[in-house]
Each structure stands twice: as structure tokens, then as C-alpha cells.
Amino acid sequence: MILNTSKNNTFHENVVEFSFKPFLNYLKGSISQDGVLKKVIKSSIEKLNKHFPDSNYNIKPEDLPQYEDLYALVYQLMNSALVDETSFSWGISAPFSYDFIFGTSLISKQLKEIQSSKQVNIIYWEDHKILSEKEVFETLAYNFIVKRIYDIHLFNEMELVICVNKNGTDRYLEFIINDDFVEVEGVFPDIKKIKSEMISKQSVLEFLKKQLPLEKLKFKGFSIIRIEDVTYKVTKEKLHNLFISQDIENKVLLQATESMKSLIGTGGDMDLLFLPILEIDGKLNTDIWRDFDSVLSHILTKYSASFSDFTSFLERHIKNPEIRYHKNENETWYCFENNYIS
């Protein structure tokens, strides 16, 4: 389905052209090989050429919605006809843009959830840096050049991650970008001029940002993007980094609390708090909870419990840990055995 019918799509127009030429070149390369889909690919090439009789495969921003049948063709060639579109995230955008033009019903739903959220941050995961829209484009464009022009590949498990805050809980979505149908034109500097002991992806990126302004380049084609929920993966990584730290301070435990909320997807229905438990001479030491006063007070008030109720409960629990599954009208607090995250 068409996801963006706006005629004011301005995705770095001086640098980017939405074009079917790279996709056509890909199909021509595929048809030269024997295969069961050779007739299908040949038919697809003919369909593309009929849409562009003048061999100009570029599409102006205001004309993008008119080519829905070609976007559907790309989808059909790349995916199985048996895929359930309601559970498959897939979309087309201009190169290095998250302004989607066409996509499945699931990716449309995901985009609406992102747009309706009060707080959205785009994070470049390699540096854990929050990016502006301009920085997103620059980061993806230069990474593409490093890979495509200089053939320097550095495995990154995640690249762009969007953090969406909904009902007080962070949710993380990864944008998985396929840039096989993007080409770049320009004059590229010799990376042998880099003054470094070892040419790495990072040294090339820094060199290009100084020597090669994006304004001197032209990117043509389109990107294929999928959105995957990576909340569990990100939160697990956060908790791992927190718990292997040698200095477990109260602020670390507060961060762990927020991470665990994201992991289990709790919003306003569940309260969660990590508290250090310290006994001195058999007595519970509560002085170390000073940094948790506001959070703990909120929870106690919510459940109409006193501080002494809470400490008495903990003292009993330390001596006799147990699991309680059912709510009892006479009970306020519920305890569970320790769970370990592997």
C-alpha cells in the first residue's frame, strides 16, 4: 500500500534521486543467469521499460504515489507470495530516508505507533548517539560509500535503532536497511592518503567527512527497509553491561529498574524496583536506600503501606523466601524467587 501521498517529499533533493535504474540493472544481471524465474524477470524488465519509454528511470517526489504497481512488483520479486503482510514488516523509501513511500500493513502500523509517540529518539547504535534527521542521512550515506566504493565491511549487529517511549516505557525498534538498489555517482578520494597506521572503517569515515562533502555526490535508487522490535535484545545488553560493572551504585540499580520495565513491557500495571538488601548483625540496613526514597515512597503510597510494613515483609522474606501467585485481600506485598538473565 502507498504509505505517503504527500507531494512535498523533500529528501535531500540535490543529493538523492528516487530511481528504478539500479533495480533494472540488478534484474538485467539476474536474467543473464539460467534460473526458474528467468521468464518472470524478463517480464518485469519489460514492464519497467514500458513505464519509462524515454529510459529516464528517475521519479520526481510529487509523482511518487503514481507508481504503486512498480513498488508492488519489487515486493513480489523479493518476497514469497505466501508471506502474511500483516506480520511482515517491509517498505520502500528514498535512499537513506525513513520517509516511507510503499509498504506492508504491518510497517504502516509500526510507523503510526512511532509517529503517535510523545518521545522518539533515533540512535546510531555503534556510537550510542542520538541523531538528528540530517545526521541520520549523513551517517547512512557515508557508511554506504565506505562499503560500496572502498569495499570495507565491518559487521554491525545493529545500525539505526529508534527508541519510542510509550506509557512511560522505552521500546526499541531497529531499522534494517537493504541498499542493494542504490548507486552513487561522484569523484572519490584515494584512501591511501589517510594518515593512519591502519585503514579502518572509522578512519575512512573521518577522512571522507572532511574530504568529500555529500553535496558533490548523487545517490540514485531506493532503499528497502524492515522494522524489527529489538527491545529484548537492547534491554538484555543494557542489563548485562550494568551488572558486570564493578561499581554497583544506586543510580545503576535505578537504570536496571528502568531496563527491566522495558524488558517485561510493563507500563502502569506493574511496579518494579531493584533495591540492594544489606544486613548488619542480622538487622536490615535501610540507610543505603536513600537514593530510592522518592520511588519507594510513591509505591508505598500507591499500595497504602507503611515503610515499617515493607521492611517487616523483607525481613520475613529474607528468612523464608517463597513464591506467591494469588492475591490475598489481607496481603499488600508479593515476592518472587530470584530470576537470572542469561
Side-chain angles (χ1 to χ4, degrees), residues 210-254:
K210 294 178 181 177
Q211 302 295 326
L212 185 64
L214 292 180
E215 291 75 20
K216 293 185 177 181
L217 304 175
K218 180 70 76 174
F219 296 93
K220 296 183 178 182
F222 55 80
S223 295
I224 303 295
I225 301 180
R226 294 189 298 109
I227 301 177
E228 181 180 326
D229 193 320
V230 290
T231 302
Y232 179 82
K233 185 190 296 185
V234 169
T235 308
K236 186 176 176 181
E237 180 182 322
K238 279 186 171 183
L239 287 170
H240 174 75
N241 292 336
L242 286 172
F243 288 133
I244 64 172
S245 65
Q246 297 296 315
D247 189 13
I248 302 295
E249 298 178 347
N250 288 338
K251 66 178 180 180
V252 173
L253 295 174
L254 286 170

mmCIF file of all heavy atoms in Angstrom, residues 210-254:
data_model
loop_
_atom_site.group_PDB
_atom_site.id
_atom_site.type_symbol
_atom_site.label_atom_id
_atom_site.label_comp_id
_atom_site.label_asym_id
_atom_site.label_seq_id
_atom_site.Cartn_x
_atom_site.Cartn_y
_atom_site.Cartn_z
ATOM 1 N N LYS A 210 35.678 14.958 5.904
ATOM 2 C CA LYS A 210 36.481 16.168 5.693
ATOM 3 C C LYS A 210 36.737 16.427 4.205
ATOM 4 O O LYS A 210 36.735 17.567 3.753
ATOM 5 C CB LYS A 210 37.828 16.034 6.422
ATOM 6 C CG LYS A 210 37.711 15.995 7.935
ATOM 7 C CD LYS A 210 39.080 15.805 8.568
ATOM 8 C CE LYS A 210 38.991 15.732 10.094
ATOM 9 N NZ LYS A 210 40.315 15.482 10.720
ATOM 10 N N GLN A 211 36.952 15.351 3.427
ATOM 11 C CA GLN A 211 37.397 15.486 2.045
ATOM 12 C C GLN A 211 36.280 15.364 1.006
ATOM 13 O O GLN A 211 36.465 15.767 -0.146
ATOM 14 C CB GLN A 211 38.467 14.405 1.746
ATOM 15 C CG GLN A 211 39.682 14.443 2.642
ATOM 16 C CD GLN A 211 40.493 15.702 2.455
ATOM 17 O OE1 GLN A 211 40.580 16.238 1.347
ATOM 18 N NE2 GLN A 211 41.118 16.194 3.523
ATOM 19 N N LEU A 212 35.110 14.804 1.412
ATOM 20 C CA LEU A 212 34.074 14.525 0.423
ATOM 21 C C LEU A 212 32.705 15.004 0.903
ATOM 22 O O LEU A 212 31.931 14.241 1.481
ATOM 23 C CB LEU A 212 34.023 13.013 0.137
ATOM 24 C CG LEU A 212 33.076 12.554 -0.964
ATOM 25 C CD1 LEU A 212 33.516 13.118 -2.315
ATOM 26 C CD2 LEU A 212 33.015 11.031 -1.020
ATOM 27 N N PRO A 213 32.366 16.270 0.674
ATOM 28 C CA PRO A 213 31.022 16.758 1.043
ATOM 29 C C PRO A 213 29.957 16.012 0.246
ATOM 30 O O PRO A 213 30.132 15.756 -0.951
ATOM 31 C CB PRO A 213 31.069 18.241 0.651
ATOM 32 C CG PRO A 213 32.524 18.569 0.508
ATOM 33 C CD PRO A 213 33.204 17.307 0.076
ATOM 34 N N LEU A 214 28.864 15.675 0.903
ATOM 35 C CA LEU A 214 27.803 14.924 0.229
ATOM 36 C C LEU A 214 27.183 15.721 -0.916
ATOM 37 O O LEU A 214 26.618 15.147 -1.849
ATOM 38 C CB LEU A 214 26.715 14.545 1.249
ATOM 39 C CG LEU A 214 27.132 13.524 2.311
ATOM 40 C CD1 LEU A 214 25.969 13.238 3.245
ATOM 41 C CD2 LEU A 214 27.622 12.220 1.677
ATOM 42 N N GLU A 215 27.300 17.048 -0.865
ATOM 43 C CA GLU A 215 26.740 17.893 -1.915
ATOM 44 C C GLU A 215 27.384 17.630 -3.281
ATOM 45 O O GLU A 215 26.827 17.976 -4.325
ATOM 46 C CB GLU A 215 26.907 19.377 -1.569
ATOM 47 C CG GLU A 215 26.049 19.843 -0.405
ATOM 48 C CD GLU A 215 26.587 19.372 0.941
ATOM 49 O OE1 GLU A 215 27.786 19.032 1.017
ATOM 50 O OE2 GLU A 215 25.809 19.335 1.917
ATOM 51 N N LYS A 216 28.565 17.007 -3.257
ATOM 52 C CA LYS A 216 29.273 16.716 -4.501
ATOM 53 C C LYS A 216 28.878 15.360 -5.087
ATOM 54 O O LYS A 216 29.425 14.948 -6.118
ATOM 55 C CB LYS A 216 30.788 16.754 -4.264
ATOM 56 C CG LYS A 216 31.316 18.144 -3.920
ATOM 57 C CD LYS A 216 32.834 18.129 -3.817
ATOM 58 C CE LYS A 216 33.374 19.545 -3.537
ATOM 59 N NZ LYS A 216 34.864 19.554 -3.461
ATOM 60 N N LEU A 217 27.957 14.662 -4.429
ATOM 61 C CA LEU A 217 27.578 13.318 -4.858
ATOM 62 C C LEU A 217 26.117 13.275 -5.291
ATOM 63 O O LEU A 217 25.336 14.179 -5.010
ATOM 64 C CB LEU A 217 27.796 12.316 -3.720
ATOM 65 C CG LEU A 217 29.200 12.259 -3.119
ATOM 66 C CD1 LEU A 217 29.216 11.314 -1.926
ATOM 67 C CD2 LEU A 217 30.214 11.815 -4.165
ATOM 68 N N LYS A 218 25.756 12.198 -5.972
ATOM 69 C CA LYS A 218 24.369 11.949 -6.346
ATOM 70 C C LYS A 218 24.054 10.467 -6.064
ATOM 71 O O LYS A 218 24.698 9.582 -6.604
ATOM 72 C CB LYS A 218 24.135 12.255 -7.823
ATOM 73 C CG LYS A 218 22.711 12.015 -8.286
ATOM 74 C CD LYS A 218 21.756 13.036 -7.698
ATOM 75 C CE LYS A 218 21.869 14.374 -8.378
ATOM 76 N NZ LYS A 218 20.850 15.355 -7.933
ATOM 77 N N PHE A 219 23.075 10.259 -5.180
ATOM 78 C CA PHE A 219 22.625 8.904 -4.858
ATOM 79 C C PHE A 219 21.342 8.629 -5.634
ATOM 80 O O PHE A 219 20.397 9.413 -5.588
ATOM 81 C CB PHE A 219 22.362 8.768 -3.354
ATOM 82 C CG PHE A 219 23.580 8.938 -2.499
ATOM 83 C CD1 PHE A 219 23.909 10.189 -1.984
ATOM 84 C CD2 PHE A 219 24.403 7.863 -2.202
ATOM 85 C CE1 PHE A 219 25.031 10.359 -1.192
ATOM 86 C CE2 PHE A 219 25.536 8.022 -1.418
ATOM 87 C CZ PHE A 219 25.853 9.271 -0.898
ATOM 88 N N LYS A 220 21.315 7.491 -6.331
ATOM 89 C CA LYS A 220 20.144 7.123 -7.124
ATOM 90 C C LYS A 220 19.655 5.735 -6.729
ATOM 91 O O LYS A 220 20.461 4.843 -6.461
ATOM 92 C CB LYS A 220 20.476 7.145 -8.620
ATOM 93 C CG LYS A 220 20.836 8.524 -9.158
ATOM 94 C CD LYS A 220 21.089 8.472 -10.658
ATOM 95 C CE LYS A 220 21.396 9.860 -11.207
ATOM 96 N NZ LYS A 220 21.593 9.847 -12.674
ATOM 97 N N GLY A 221 18.335 5.575 -6.731
ATOM 98 C CA GLY A 221 17.762 4.265 -6.430
ATOM 99 C C GLY A 221 16.713 4.349 -5.344
ATOM 100 O O GLY A 221 16.008 5.361 -5.217
ATOM 101 N N PHE A 222 16.604 3.310 -4.548
ATOM 102 C CA PHE A 222 15.700 3.294 -3.400
ATOM 103 C C PHE A 222 16.183 2.273 -2.387
ATOM 104 O O PHE A 222 16.953 1.358 -2.714
ATOM 105 C CB PHE A 222 14.246 2.998 -3.817
ATOM 106 C CG PHE A 222 14.059 1.719 -4.607
ATOM 107 C CD1 PHE A 222 14.009 0.479 -3.979
ATOM 108 C CD2 PHE A 222 13.909 1.764 -5.989
ATOM 109 C CE1 PHE A 222 13.831 -0.693 -4.710
ATOM 110 C CE2 PHE A 222 13.727 0.609 -6.726
ATOM 111 C CZ PHE A 222 13.688 -0.622 -6.088
ATOM 112 N N SER A 223 15.767 2.458 -1.151
ATOM 113 C CA SER A 223 16.139 1.542 -0.072
ATOM 114 C C SER A 223 14.947 0.656 0.277
ATOM 115 O O SER A 223 13.790 1.066 0.185
ATOM 116 C CB SER A 223 16.562 2.325 1.185
ATOM 117 O OG SER A 223 17.733 3.066 0.965
ATOM 118 N N ILE A 224 15.267 -0.566 0.677
ATOM 119 C CA ILE A 224 14.269 -1.490 1.222
ATOM 120 C C ILE A 224 14.505 -1.551 2.729
ATOM 121 O O ILE A 224 15.631 -1.788 3.177
ATOM 122 C CB ILE A 224 14.402 -2.903 0.626
ATOM 123 C CG1 ILE A 224 14.278 -2.853 -0.898
ATOM 124 C CG2 ILE A 224 13.370 -3.846 1.231
ATOM 125 C CD1 ILE A 224 12.924 -2.400 -1.394
ATOM 126 N N ILE A 225 13.460 -1.326 3.508
ATOM 127 C CA ILE A 225 13.629 -1.252 4.965
ATOM 128 C C ILE A 225 12.616 -2.145 5.678
ATOM 129 O O ILE A 225 11.446 -2.213 5.294
ATOM 130 C CB ILE A 225 13.470 0.198 5.463
ATOM 131 C CG1 ILE A 225 14.501 1.105 4.788
ATOM 132 C CG2 ILE A 225 13.625 0.272 6.987
ATOM 133 C CD1 ILE A 225 14.430 2.558 5.194
ATOM 134 N N ARG A 226 13.097 -2.841 6.691
ATOM 135 C CA ARG A 226 12.236 -3.599 7.600
ATOM 136 C C ARG A 226 12.402 -3.029 9.011
ATOM 137 O O ARG A 226 13.473 -2.517 9.349
ATOM 138 C CB ARG A 226 12.593 -5.088 7.603
ATOM 139 C CG ARG A 226 12.310 -5.774 6.274
ATOM 140 C CD ARG A 226 12.468 -7.273 6.343
ATOM 141 N NE ARG A 226 13.827 -7.679 6.683
ATOM 142 C CZ ARG A 226 14.189 -8.207 7.855
ATOM 143 N NH1 ARG A 226 13.300 -8.369 8.826
ATOM 144 N NH2 ARG A 226 15.436 -8.556 8.076
ATOM 145 N N ILE A 227 11.361 -3.106 9.809
ATOM 146 C CA ILE A 227 11.418 -2.639 11.191
ATOM 147 C C ILE A 227 11.224 -3.831 12.106
ATOM 148 O O ILE A 227 10.241 -4.563 11.992
ATOM 149 C CB ILE A 227 10.334 -1.577 11.476
ATOM 150 C CG1 ILE A 227 10.508 -0.371 10.551
ATOM 151 C CG2 ILE A 227 10.403 -1.136 12.939
ATOM 152 C CD1 ILE A 227 9.432 0.692 10.727
ATOM 153 N N GLU A 228 12.171 -4.038 12.999
ATOM 154 C CA GLU A 228 12.126 -5.188 13.908
ATOM 155 C C GLU A 228 12.185 -4.712 15.352
ATOM 156 O O GLU A 228 12.989 -3.842 15.699
ATOM 157 C CB GLU A 228 13.310 -6.116 13.621
ATOM 158 C CG GLU A 228 13.354 -7.359 14.488
ATOM 159 C CD GLU A 228 14.541 -8.248 14.153
ATOM 160 O OE1 GLU A 228 14.939 -8.312 12.970
ATOM 161 O OE2 GLU A 228 15.090 -8.879 15.081
ATOM 162 N N ASP A 229 11.334 -5.270 16.189
ATOM 163 C CA ASP A 229 11.336 -4.926 17.613
ATOM 164 C C ASP A 229 12.535 -5.606 18.275
ATOM 165 O O ASP A 229 12.629 -6.833 18.308
ATOM 166 C CB ASP A 229 10.031 -5.399 18.271
ATOM 167 C CG ASP A 229 9.850 -4.795 19.665
ATOM 168 O OD1 ASP A 229 10.853 -4.708 20.407
ATOM 169 O OD2 ASP A 229 8.719 -4.441 20.028
ATOM 170 N N VAL A 230 13.470 -4.790 18.778
ATOM 171 C CA VAL A 230 14.682 -5.327 19.412
ATOM 172 C C VAL A 230 14.752 -4.910 20.884
ATOM 173 O O VAL A 230 15.833 -4.827 21.458
ATOM 174 C CB VAL A 230 15.960 -4.858 18.659
ATOM 175 C CG1 VAL A 230 16.056 -5.518 17.305
ATOM 176 C CG2 VAL A 230 15.995 -3.343 18.540
ATOM 177 N N THR A 231 13.579 -4.665 21.476
ATOM 178 C CA THR A 231 13.541 -4.241 22.873
ATOM 179 C C THR A 231 14.236 -5.254 23.773
ATOM 180 O O THR A 231 15.033 -4.892 24.648
ATOM 181 C CB THR A 231 12.082 -4.048 23.343
ATOM 182 O OG1 THR A 231 11.451 -3.085 22.491
ATOM 183 C CG2 THR A 231 12.041 -3.545 24.775
ATOM 184 N N TYR A 232 13.940 -6.523 23.558
ATOM 185 C CA TYR A 232 14.546 -7.571 24.393
ATOM 186 C C TYR A 232 16.068 -7.571 24.239
ATOM 187 O O TYR A 232 16.805 -7.629 25.233
ATOM 188 C CB TYR A 232 13.978 -8.939 24.019
ATOM 189 C CG TYR A 232 14.583 -10.071 24.815
ATOM 190 C CD1 TYR A 232 14.120 -10.373 26.099
ATOM 191 C CD2 TYR A 232 15.621 -10.836 24.302
ATOM 192 C CE1 TYR A 232 14.680 -11.400 26.838
ATOM 193 C CE2 TYR A 232 16.189 -11.864 25.033
ATOM 194 C CZ TYR A 232 15.712 -12.144 26.296
ATOM 195 O OH TYR A 232 16.286 -13.159 27.018
ATOM 196 N N LYS A 233 16.533 -7.482 22.981
ATOM 197 C CA LYS A 233 17.972 -7.532 22.714
ATOM 198 C C LYS A 233 18.703 -6.337 23.350
ATOM 199 O O LYS A 233 19.736 -6.489 24.006
ATOM 200 C CB LYS A 233 18.201 -7.533 21.200
ATOM 201 C CG LYS A 233 19.646 -7.708 20.782
ATOM 202 C CD LYS A 233 19.811 -7.458 19.290
ATOM 203 C CE LYS A 233 19.064 -8.450 18.459
ATOM 204 N NZ LYS A 233 19.325 -8.265 17.004
ATOM 205 N N VAL A 234 18.129 -5.140 23.178
ATOM 206 C CA VAL A 234 18.747 -3.928 23.706
ATOM 207 C C VAL A 234 18.744 -3.934 25.231
ATOM 208 O O VAL A 234 19.743 -3.614 25.879
ATOM 209 C CB VAL A 234 18.001 -2.674 23.183
ATOM 210 C CG1 VAL A 234 18.449 -1.424 23.923
ATOM 211 C CG2 VAL A 234 18.236 -2.509 21.690
ATOM 212 N N THR A 235 17.600 -4.303 25.825
ATOM 213 C CA THR A 235 17.485 -4.296 27.284
ATOM 214 C C THR A 235 18.392 -5.332 27.910
ATOM 215 O O THR A 235 19.013 -5.087 28.949
ATOM 216 C CB THR A 235 16.026 -4.559 27.703
ATOM 217 O OG1 THR A 235 15.180 -3.648 27.015
ATOM 218 C CG2 THR A 235 15.853 -4.360 29.194
ATOM 219 N N LYS A 236 18.496 -6.478 27.293
ATOM 220 C CA LYS A 236 19.381 -7.527 27.794
ATOM 221 C C LYS A 236 20.832 -7.048 27.781
ATOM 222 O O LYS A 236 21.585 -7.282 28.738
ATOM 223 C CB LYS A 236 19.227 -8.780 26.932
ATOM 224 C CG LYS A 236 19.982 -9.992 27.447
ATOM 225 C CD LYS A 236 19.676 -11.195 26.574
ATOM 226 C CE LYS A 236 20.498 -12.395 27.027
ATOM 227 N NZ LYS A 236 20.237 -13.592 26.189
ATOM 228 N N GLU A 237 21.203 -6.337 26.712
ATOM 229 C CA GLU A 237 22.563 -5.788 26.616
ATOM 230 C C GLU A 237 22.793 -4.750 27.706
ATOM 231 O O GLU A 237 23.854 -4.711 28.336
ATOM 232 C CB GLU A 237 22.772 -5.171 25.243
ATOM 233 C CG GLU A 237 24.152 -4.572 25.036
ATOM 234 C CD GLU A 237 24.312 -3.922 23.679
ATOM 235 O OE1 GLU A 237 23.782 -4.470 22.703
ATOM 236 O OE2 GLU A 237 24.960 -2.858 23.590
ATOM 237 N N LYS A 238 21.782 -3.897 27.934
ATOM 238 C CA LYS A 238 21.905 -2.882 28.981
ATOM 239 C C LYS A 238 22.095 -3.514 30.352
ATOM 240 O O LYS A 238 22.958 -3.112 31.138
ATOM 241 C CB LYS A 238 20.655 -2.004 28.994
ATOM 242 C CG LYS A 238 20.621 -0.914 27.951
ATOM 243 C CD LYS A 238 19.401 -0.040 28.203
ATOM 244 C CE LYS A 238 19.424 1.185 27.337
ATOM 245 N NZ LYS A 238 18.266 2.060 27.633
ATOM 246 N N LEU A 239 21.266 -4.507 30.654
ATOM 247 C CA LEU A 239 21.351 -5.174 31.958
ATOM 248 C C LEU A 239 22.687 -5.885 32.118
ATOM 249 O O LEU A 239 23.296 -5.865 33.192
ATOM 250 C CB LEU A 239 20.202 -6.170 32.110
ATOM 251 C CG LEU A 239 18.819 -5.558 32.341
ATOM 252 C CD1 LEU A 239 17.740 -6.626 32.239
ATOM 253 C CD2 LEU A 239 18.748 -4.869 33.699
ATOM 254 N N HIS A 240 23.144 -6.495 31.046
ATOM 255 C CA HIS A 240 24.439 -7.184 31.089
ATOM 256 C C HIS A 240 25.557 -6.201 31.429
ATOM 257 O O HIS A 240 26.391 -6.461 32.307
ATOM 258 C CB HIS A 240 24.715 -7.843 29.740
ATOM 259 C CG HIS A 240 26.076 -8.460 29.631
ATOM 260 N ND1 HIS A 240 26.413 -9.655 30.244
ATOM 261 C CD2 HIS A 240 27.209 -8.042 28.997
ATOM 262 C CE1 HIS A 240 27.675 -9.939 29.985
ATOM 263 N NE2 HIS A 240 28.179 -8.984 29.235
ATOM 264 N N ASN A 241 25.557 -5.042 30.737
ATOM 265 C CA ASN A 241 26.589 -4.034 30.978
ATOM 266 C C ASN A 241 26.507 -3.462 32.391
ATOM 267 O O ASN A 241 27.526 -3.148 33.009
ATOM 268 C CB ASN A 241 26.472 -2.911 29.947
ATOM 269 C CG ASN A 241 26.816 -3.373 28.550
ATOM 270 O OD1 ASN A 241 27.546 -4.352 28.381
ATOM 271 N ND2 ASN A 241 26.281 -2.698 27.546
ATOM 272 N N LEU A 242 25.288 -3.318 32.903
ATOM 273 C CA LEU A 242 25.115 -2.780 34.258
ATOM 274 C C LEU A 242 25.621 -3.753 35.308
ATOM 275 O O LEU A 242 26.317 -3.372 36.256
ATOM 276 C CB LEU A 242 23.640 -2.472 34.516
ATOM 277 C CG LEU A 242 23.062 -1.234 33.828
ATOM 278 C CD1 LEU A 242 21.553 -1.182 34.018
ATOM 279 C CD2 LEU A 242 23.696 0.036 34.378
ATOM 280 N N PHE A 243 25.276 -5.032 35.138
ATOM 281 C CA PHE A 243 25.585 -5.992 36.188
ATOM 282 C C PHE A 243 27.028 -6.481 36.176
ATOM 283 O O PHE A 243 27.498 -7.065 37.151
ATOM 284 C CB PHE A 243 24.622 -7.175 36.120
ATOM 285 C CG PHE A 243 23.227 -6.824 36.564
ATOM 286 C CD1 PHE A 243 22.119 -7.193 35.822
ATOM 287 C CD2 PHE A 243 23.017 -6.089 37.724
ATOM 288 C CE1 PHE A 243 20.843 -6.856 36.231
ATOM 289 C CE2 PHE A 243 21.752 -5.740 38.136
ATOM 290 C CZ PHE A 243 20.652 -6.129 37.395
ATOM 291 N N ILE A 244 27.731 -6.275 35.051
ATOM 292 C CA ILE A 244 29.146 -6.662 35.050
ATOM 293 C C ILE A 244 30.027 -5.513 35.522
ATOM 294 O O ILE A 244 31.235 -5.682 35.673
ATOM 295 C CB ILE A 244 29.619 -7.125 33.651
ATOM 296 C CG1 ILE A 244 29.544 -5.984 32.634
ATOM 297 C CG2 ILE A 244 28.852 -8.342 33.191
ATOM 298 C CD1 ILE A 244 30.171 -6.328 31.288
ATOM 299 N N SER A 245 29.425 -4.349 35.736
ATOM 300 C CA SER A 245 30.218 -3.222 36.243
ATOM 301 C C SER A 245 30.660 -3.519 37.666
ATOM 302 O O SER A 245 29.963 -4.165 38.435
ATOM 303 C CB SER A 245 29.401 -1.929 36.202
ATOM 304 O OG SER A 245 28.304 -2.013 37.078
ATOM 305 N N GLN A 246 31.831 -3.050 37.995
ATOM 306 C CA GLN A 246 32.407 -3.322 39.310
ATOM 307 C C GLN A 246 31.812 -2.430 40.391
ATOM 308 O O GLN A 246 31.913 -2.709 41.568
ATOM 309 C CB GLN A 246 33.928 -3.101 39.246
ATOM 310 C CG GLN A 246 34.636 -4.051 38.297
ATOM 311 C CD GLN A 246 34.520 -5.488 38.750
ATOM 312 O OE1 GLN A 246 34.707 -5.786 39.930
ATOM 313 N NE2 GLN A 246 34.203 -6.382 37.830
ATOM 314 N N ASP A 247 31.177 -1.348 39.969
ATOM 315 C CA ASP A 247 30.687 -0.355 40.928
ATOM 316 C C ASP A 247 29.164 -0.314 40.884
ATOM 317 O O ASP A 247 28.568 0.437 40.126
ATOM 318 C CB ASP A 247 31.271 1.023 40.583
ATOM 319 C CG ASP A 247 30.972 2.046 41.682
ATOM 320 O OD1 ASP A 247 30.553 1.610 42.767
ATOM 321 O OD2 ASP A 247 31.166 3.248 41.435
ATOM 322 N N ILE A 248 28.498 -1.150 41.670
ATOM 323 C CA ILE A 248 27.043 -1.208 41.686
ATOM 324 C C ILE A 248 26.526 -0.135 42.632
ATOM 325 O O ILE A 248 26.405 -0.327 43.840
ATOM 326 C CB ILE A 248 26.545 -2.605 42.123
ATOM 327 C CG1 ILE A 248 27.099 -3.677 41.199
ATOM 328 C CG2 ILE A 248 25.025 -2.642 42.131
ATOM 329 C CD1 ILE A 248 26.607 -3.567 39.769
ATOM 330 N N GLU A 249 26.240 1.035 42.069
ATOM 331 C CA GLU A 249 25.716 2.142 42.863
ATOM 332 C C GLU A 249 24.197 2.193 42.711
ATOM 333 O O GLU A 249 23.595 1.512 41.889
ATOM 334 C CB GLU A 249 26.330 3.456 42.373
ATOM 335 C CG GLU A 249 27.847 3.521 42.533
ATOM 336 C CD GLU A 249 28.409 4.816 41.985
ATOM 337 O OE1 GLU A 249 27.662 5.519 41.271
ATOM 338 O OE2 GLU A 249 29.572 5.118 42.262
ATOM 339 N N ASN A 250 23.583 3.062 43.516
ATOM 340 C CA ASN A 250 22.135 3.191 43.464
ATOM 341 C C ASN A 250 21.650 3.637 42.080
ATOM 342 O O ASN A 250 20.620 3.189 41.597
ATOM 343 C CB ASN A 250 21.651 4.168 44.528
ATOM 344 C CG ASN A 250 21.758 3.570 45.925
ATOM 345 O OD1 ASN A 250 21.790 2.360 46.076
ATOM 346 N ND2 ASN A 250 21.812 4.412 46.933
ATOM 347 N N LYS A 251 22.401 4.537 41.448
ATOM 348 C CA LYS A 251 21.980 5.015 40.129
ATOM 349 C C LYS A 251 21.999 3.874 39.107
ATOM 350 O O LYS A 251 21.183 3.838 38.181
ATOM 351 C CB LYS A 251 22.854 6.166 39.664
ATOM 352 C CG LYS A 251 24.320 5.803 39.402
ATOM 353 C CD LYS A 251 25.090 7.011 38.885
ATOM 354 C CE LYS A 251 26.549 6.644 38.613
ATOM 355 N NZ LYS A 251 27.313 7.808 38.104
ATOM 356 N N VAL A 252 22.918 2.931 39.282
ATOM 357 C CA VAL A 252 22.978 1.767 38.409
ATOM 358 C C VAL A 252 21.747 0.902 38.595
ATOM 359 O O VAL A 252 21.150 0.403 37.642
ATOM 360 C CB VAL A 252 24.259 0.945 38.670
ATOM 361 C CG1 VAL A 252 24.237 -0.351 37.886
ATOM 362 C CG2 VAL A 252 25.493 1.765 38.317
ATOM 363 N N LEU A 253 21.330 0.731 39.848
ATOM 364 C CA LEU A 253 20.145 -0.072 40.135
ATOM 365 C C LEU A 253 18.879 0.602 39.616
ATOM 366 O O LEU A 253 17.947 -0.068 39.169
ATOM 367 C CB LEU A 253 20.037 -0.332 41.640
ATOM 368 C CG LEU A 253 21.165 -1.195 42.223
ATOM 369 C CD1 LEU A 253 21.044 -1.277 43.730
ATOM 370 C CD2 LEU A 253 21.133 -2.596 41.627
ATOM 371 N N LEU A 254 18.849 1.937 39.658
ATOM 372 C CA LEU A 254 17.716 2.649 39.090
ATOM 373 C C LEU A 254 17.659 2.447 37.578
ATOM 374 O O LEU A 254 16.579 2.274 36.995
ATOM 375 C CB LEU A 254 17.811 4.143 39.424
ATOM 376 C CG LEU A 254 17.491 4.522 40.881
ATOM 377 C CD1 LEU A 254 17.861 5.975 41.144
ATOM 378 C CD2 LEU A 254 16.024 4.283 41.198
#
